[in-house]
């Protein structure tokens, strides 16, 4: 074994040049699960600060008009029989995915509410603002073997903003999405239409259009370790029958998945799909995920509720399973890495964090277009609102 002395000697050789002249290795963050298997970190129970809606034209409204109501079929011994392909493609209005919205809708909500945010003055200045979906990708990174990601980060008036950038590979995939995959995406939204009503106490109406511009988004506050978080996520529906009517505990996430027949298929489902479902719903404190299992003809014939807090049990004793502690510890490590990297407070300065499976998270620095993502309407409104410095009387006064 190497003695401490030897290590110091080796170090000495390296510091032959003045320390500050050494080329600094580009900072990076490893993602191997084994590095993050400590105890589960502190995660504050998420509380809802507010919400907003996007309508059929993708227009913002500062209210809950797009919230839908969970209305499962009666459990009278009959199985459901939802045709998920019904209405495709004639009654499908898909959102224009060429439009990069970045954090815009969330920033619009924040601009209207930042004066009234709980946590006392200065809470927001120490917080991280992002979409729930971006945090989901961070949580699953130690186990992800297929898709990389890029996150742009800027600091502005103390707050760290994180906004995803579509990777070139993801863009190619989106533009060459096979027709069957497009239909599968529709089927997920169609399931929501079978399970949700527009008003409490009425039945779902599957005869209408499926318009994926519409969204109800909850805005939540939490904290991971010492990182205060403000994030927003799209919520599928609220359960009017839930024991607690208080958001986010009344919310339900809806998912579809292939019908499974062998123990091997279930095992793979627990290892891969449940990880994504858990990460997405755990972050905002959504307690239940209701899955519709579709047969090869595209009909949902069975439903199963997966309580978010019980999902880990399916892989707890699986050597190739996932571990919530690893997910959360990695996310906390990434947030610390980002906080320590983005030191300059400048909305036009962007640090781009990039990750591809098998490698570490790396970072590059950019200024202005195309990566700057805080819109001028936001930056200007927030800048103008700063307590103005004491005025020196001008000759005209
Ligand atoms: P999710 O957890 O991945 O569903 O994402 P969020 O709940 O954090 O959604 C944040 C915002 O991004 C919402 O307005 C969603 O409608 C929107 N959004 C979600 N997924 C996608 C996507 O794949 N592409 C685009 N362009 N927007 C999305
Ligand atoms: Mg869903």
């Amino acid at each position: 074994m190497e003695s401490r002395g030897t290590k110091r000697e080796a170090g000495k050789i390296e510091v032959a040049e003045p320390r500050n002249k050494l080329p600094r290795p580009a900072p990076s963050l490893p993602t191997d699960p084994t590095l993050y298997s400590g105890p589960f970190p502190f995660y504050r129970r998420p509380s809802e600060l507010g919400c907003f809606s996007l309508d059929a034209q993708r227009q913002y409204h500062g209210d809950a008009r797009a919230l839908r109501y969970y209305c499962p079929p009666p459990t009278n011994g009959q199985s459901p029989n939802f045709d998920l392909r019904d209405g495709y493609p004639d009654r499908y209005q898909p959102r224009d995915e060429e439009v990069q919205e970045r954090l815009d809708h969330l920033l619009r909500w924040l601009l209207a509410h930042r004066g009234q945010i709980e946590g006392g003055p200065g809470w927001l200045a120490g917080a991280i603002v992002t979409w729930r979906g971006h945090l989901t990708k961070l949580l699953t990174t130690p186990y992800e073997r297929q898709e990389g990601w890029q996150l742009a980060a800027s600091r502005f008036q103390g707050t760290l903003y994180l906004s995803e950038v579509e990777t070139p590979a993801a863009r190619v995939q989106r533009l060459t999405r096979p027709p069957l995959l497009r239909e599968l995406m529709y089927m997920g939204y169609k399931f929501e239409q079978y399970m949700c009503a527009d008003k409490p106490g009425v039945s779902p109406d599957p005869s209408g259009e499926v318009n994926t511009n519409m969204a109800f988004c909850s805005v939540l506050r939490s904290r991971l370790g010492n990182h205060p978080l403000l994030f927003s996520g799209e919520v599928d529906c609220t359960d009017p029958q839930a024991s607690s009517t208080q958001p986010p505990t009344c919310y339900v996430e809806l998912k579809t998945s292939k019908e499974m027949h062998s123990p091997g298929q279930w095992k793979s489902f627990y290892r891969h799909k449940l990880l994504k479902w858990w990460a997405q719903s755990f972050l905002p404190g959504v307690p239940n995920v209701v899955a519709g299992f579709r047969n090869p003809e595209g009909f949902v014939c069975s439903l199963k509720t997966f309580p978010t807090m019980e999902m880990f049990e399916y892989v707890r004793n699986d050597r190739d399973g996932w571990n919530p502690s690893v997910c959360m510890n990695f996310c906390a490590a990434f947030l610390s890495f980002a906080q320590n990297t983005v030191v300059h407070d400048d909305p036009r300065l962007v640090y781009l964090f990039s990750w591809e499976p098998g490698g570490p998270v790396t970072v590059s620095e950019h200024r202005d277009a195309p990566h700057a993502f805080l819109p001028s309407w936001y930056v200007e409104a927030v800048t103008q609102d700063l307590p103005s410095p004491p005025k020196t009387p001008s000759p005209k006064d």
Side-chain angles (χ1 to χ4, degrees), residues 132 188-189 191-192 234-236 252-256 280 289-290:
R132 177 272 309 276
Y189 295 111
F191 177 59
E192 297 175 7
E234 189 177 347
V235 168
D236 289 336
V252 180
E253 172 67 31
L254 301 171
K255 295 288 187 200
T256 61
Q280 187 191 33
V289 178
V290 175

Side-chain angles (χ1 to χ4, degrees), residues 27-76:
S28 68
L29 181 72
T31 65
D32 321 59
T34 52
L35 298 173
Y36 299 99
S37 62
F40 195 86
F42 175 81
Y43 189 64
R44 180 194 193 266
R45 180 167 50 86
S47 55
E48 185 174 78
L49 296 175
C51 65
F52 58 88
S53 293
L54 304 175
D55 67 18
Q57 287 76 42
R58 201 71 179 171
Q59 293 305 300
Y60 174 99
H61 302 274
D63 54 44
R65 69 183 67 187
L67 177 59
R68 290 178 299 175
Y69 298 83
Y70 182 62
C71 185
T75 48
N76 51 6

Side-chain angles (χ1 to χ4, degrees), residues 269-325:
F269 165 83
Y270 300 146
R271 284 177 181 169
H272 304 107
K273 235 173 196 181
L274 265 199
L275 162 61
K276 304 233 166 157
W277 292 7
W278 171 80
Q280 187 191 33
S281 287
F282 177 77
L283 281 163
V286 172
N288 290 296
V289 178
V290 175
F293 293 102
R294 56 179 153 74
N295 65 21
E297 291 72 46
F299 284 71
V300 163
C301 302
S302 67
L303 301 172
K304 184 175 165 69
T305 299
F306 292 91
T308 306
M309 299 311 280
E310 294 172 18
M311 292 179 181
F312 173 52
E313 301 309 324
Y314 292 97
V315 292
R316 192 189 282 275
N317 300 313
D318 182 350
R319 295 175 54 86
D320 295 316
W322 46 276
N323 187 314
S325 301

Side-chain angles (χ1 to χ4, degrees), residues 94-101 166 171-172 174-175:
R95 177 188 59 224
D96 180 358
E97 291 179 278
E98 270 300 299
V99 182
Q100 305 284 326
E101 297 173 329
E166 186 176 40
R171 178 176 166 78
V172 168
R174 171 167 64 79
L175 296 175

Side-chain angles (χ1 to χ4, degrees), residues 70-352:
Y70 182 62
C71 185
T75 48
N76 51 6
Q78 288 186 44
S79 331
N81 196 36
F82 301 148
D83 180 1
L84 299 184
R85 299 164 70 192
D86 179 53
Y88 186 80
D90 0 311
R91 283 180 287 133
Y92 186 28
Q93 306 272 136
R95 177 188 59 224
D96 180 358
E97 291 179 278
E98 270 300 299
V99 182
Q100 305 284 326
E101 297 173 329
R102 310 205 260 200
L103 299 184
D104 291 10
H105 300 304
L106 172 54
L107 297 179
R108 184 158 173 191
W109 180 91
L110 195 49
L111 195 53
H113 295 91
R114 72 207 169 89
Q116 306 101 264
I117 284 178
E118 56 181 56
W123 182 85
L124 186 58
I128 294 168
V129 170
T130 191
W131 286 114
R132 177 272 309 276
H134 302 358
L135 295 172
T136 304
K137 289 200 176 175
L138 290 171
L139 260 63
T140 59
T141 293
Y143 300 106
E144 178 63 43
R145 285 153 187 256
Q146 315 249 339
E147 281 164 21
W149 48 254
Q150 290 190 313
L151 277 176
S154 289
R155 191 181 298 286
F156 177 47
Q157 292 190 8
T159 308
L160 185 69
Y161 297 84
L162 298 176
S163 177
E164 191 179 18
V165 174
E166 186 176 40
T167 63
R171 178 176 166 78
V172 168
Q173 289 232 348
R174 171 167 64 79
L175 296 175
T176 62
R177 197 176 282 148
L180 275 173
L181 204 57
R182 293 169 197 260
E183 189 168 10
L184 220 50
M185 288 176 65
Y186 169 81
M187 292 163 71
Y189 295 111
K190 186 69 189 177
F191 177 59
E192 297 175 7
Q193 198 187 50
Y194 280 111
M195 297 287 288
C196 301
D198 290 346
K199 297 186 187 81
V202 311
S203 292
D205 174 15
S207 74
E209 304 225 308
V210 170
N211 186 322
T212 58
N213 288 296
M214 287 166 66
F216 168 79
C217 293
S218 172
V219 182
L220 301 126
R221 173 188 165 182
S222 183
R223 178 160 57 88
L224 172 56
N226 57 356
H227 302 290
L229 302 173
L230 187 154
F231 59 92
S232 176
E234 189 177 347
V235 168
D236 289 336
C237 56
T238 184
D239 180 0
Q241 319 257 51
S243 47
S244 162
T245 58
Q246 194 183 233
T249 50
C250 52
Y251 292 152
V252 180
E253 172 67 31
L254 301 171
K255 295 288 187 200
T256 61
S257 200
K258 248 199 188 119
E259 234 172 40
M260 288 168 291
H261 301 285
S262 72
Q265 289 174 328
W266 281 102
K267 177 143 277 188
S268 171
F269 165 83
Y270 300 146
R271 284 177 181 169
H272 304 107
K273 235 173 196 181
L274 265 199
L275 162 61
K276 304 233 166 157
W277 292 7
W278 171 80
Q280 187 191 33
S281 287
F282 177 77
L283 281 163
V286 172
N288 290 296
V289 178
V290 175
F293 293 102
R294 56 179 153 74
N295 65 21
E297 291 72 46
F299 284 71
V300 163
C301 302
S302 67
L303 301 172
K304 184 175 165 69
T305 299
F306 292 91
T308 306
M309 299 311 280
E310 294 172 18
M311 292 179 181
F312 173 52
E313 301 309 324
Y314 292 97
V315 292
R316 192 189 282 275
N317 300 313
D318 182 350
R319 295 175 54 86
D320 295 316
W322 46 276
N323 187 314
S325 301
V326 169
C327 300
M328 298 301 278
N329 285 326
F330 170 74
C331 185
F334 173 81
L335 297 178
S336 297
F337 180 54
Q339 288 284 16
N340 293 330
T341 304
V342 187
V343 287
H344 294 107
D345 199 297
D346 180 346
R348 297 167 56 182
L349 185 61
V350 176
Y351 290 82
L352 189 61

